């Protein structure tokens, strides 16, 4: 008798989860920071994990009260797209502030295409440090996200990298956005994805 493997339902993240990831990263190691940033950006901007994992210093420019992020190419948007990430240092869970702290903590050099957000983290003589000039594989980033999900007490078999984007779509729906607006924000090719 062959047993069919039944996939567990994939859950979605909500704003509370994202704030917990930010808090865990701030209190944790740079590995926690490296895992939290893509999940935070994916939730805020309805991005795919791979779109975050591919960011370099050349994709991000700093302005007085926001960052401009350019994604060179995306699955359903081959010409790429850009978005603003507002910075508000007065808010504890501001994504722009988290991004600013990440850039400093990881040593990412803005304007440099060889400075990676998904950078290598290693331990040398007991000190954990990042090497922004070395990019890690997407699978390493996904494994780090899985560890962070488990660190905050969630079952990593019930969540995936797209839990952020799906959760953000649900939050947008709760905020009153239409299916068409959410489809445009998420860059989905079909409304059936919303």
């Amino acid at each position: 008798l062959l047993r069919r493997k039944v996939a567990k339902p994939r859950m979605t993240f909500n704003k509370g989860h994202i704030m917990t990831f930010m808090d865990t990263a701030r209190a944790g190691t740079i590995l926690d920071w490296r895992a939290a940033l893509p999940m935070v950006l994916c939730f805020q901007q309805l991005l795919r994990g791979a779109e975050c994992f591919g960011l370099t210093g050349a994709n991000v420019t700093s302005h007085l009260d926001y960052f401009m992020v350019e994604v060179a190419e995306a699955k359903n948007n081959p010409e790429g797209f850009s978005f603003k990430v507002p910075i508000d240092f007065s808010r504890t869970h501001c994504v722009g502030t988290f991004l600013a702290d990440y850039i400093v903590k990881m040593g990412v050099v803005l304007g440099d295409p060889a400075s990676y957000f998904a950078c290598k983290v290693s331990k040398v003589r007991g000190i954990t440090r990042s090497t922004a000039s070395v990019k890690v594989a997407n699978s390493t980033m996904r494994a780090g996200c899985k560890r962070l999900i488990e660190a905050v007490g969630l079952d990593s078999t019930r969540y995936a990298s797209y839990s952020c984007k799906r959760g953000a779509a649900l939050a947008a729906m709760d905020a009153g956005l239409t299916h068409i607006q959410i489809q445009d924000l998420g860059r989905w090719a079909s409304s059936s994805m919303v």
Side-chain angles (χ1 to χ4, degrees):
L1 218 182
L2 294 174
R3 283 193 150 159
R4 227 173 78 193
K5 187 176 179 180
V6 178
K8 291 185 179 181
R10 295 290 182 179
M11 306 296 288
T12 59
F13 292 124
N14 59 41
K15 192 173 181 177
H17 291 120
I18 300 306
M19 290 190 287
T20 302
F21 294 144
M22 291 162 84
D23 292 340
T24 302
R26 289 189 189 285
T29 68
I30 59 176
L31 284 171
D32 296 327
W33 278 87
R34 189 178 71 181
L37 182 71
M39 292 197 292
V40 168
L41 281 177
C42 285
F43 186 85
Q44 186 197 31
Q45 298 296 330
L46 282 94
L47 300 176
R48 289 177 173 79
E51 293 167 351
C52 287
F53 302 157
L55 291 177
T56 70
N59 299 112
V60 180
T61 53
S62 178
H63 300 271
L64 185 61
D65 58 353
Y66 68 93
F67 288 103
M68 181 58 75
V69 180
E70 295 180 21
V71 176
E73 65 178 74
K75 182 177 178 183
N76 292 327
N77 201 330
E79 67 277 358
F81 58 93
S82 61
F83 57 89
K84 284 184 181 180
V85 180
I87 303 169
D88 182 354
F89 288 105
S90 67
R91 290 181 39 231
T92 305
H93 294 103
C94 173
V95 175
T97 305
F98 191 76
L99 178 58
D101 292 344
Y102 183 92
I103 290 166
V104 171
K105 187 170 243 356
M106 302 304 266
V108 175
V109 178
L110 297 186
D112 184 355
S115 188
Y116 301 98
F117 281 81
C119 62
K120 180 180 178 180
V121 172
S122 56
K123 200 173 225 179
V124 178
R125 296 185 195 142
I127 299 171
T128 305
R129 60 181 81 176
S130 63
T131 307
S133 61
V134 179
K135 184 183 184 314
V136 296
N138 288 0
S139 59
T140 301
M141 293 299 292
R142 283 191 294 273
C145 292
K146 181 178 177 177
R147 279 191 302 275
L148 182 61
I149 290 166
E150 292 167 353
V152 300
L154 298 172
D155 180 357
S156 65
T157 63
R158 301 193 70 197
Y159 293 89
S161 59
Y162 57 81
S163 295
C164 295
K165 187 170 182 173
R166 288 176 54 200
L170 288 174
M173 207 176 295
D174 289 345
L177 272 68
T178 67
H179 279 47
I180 299 298
Q181 290 170 319
I182 296 169
Q183 180 182 345
D184 288 344
L185 284 173
R187 294 159 308 281
W188 278 292
S190 159
S191 61
S192 65
M193 296 301 292
V194 179

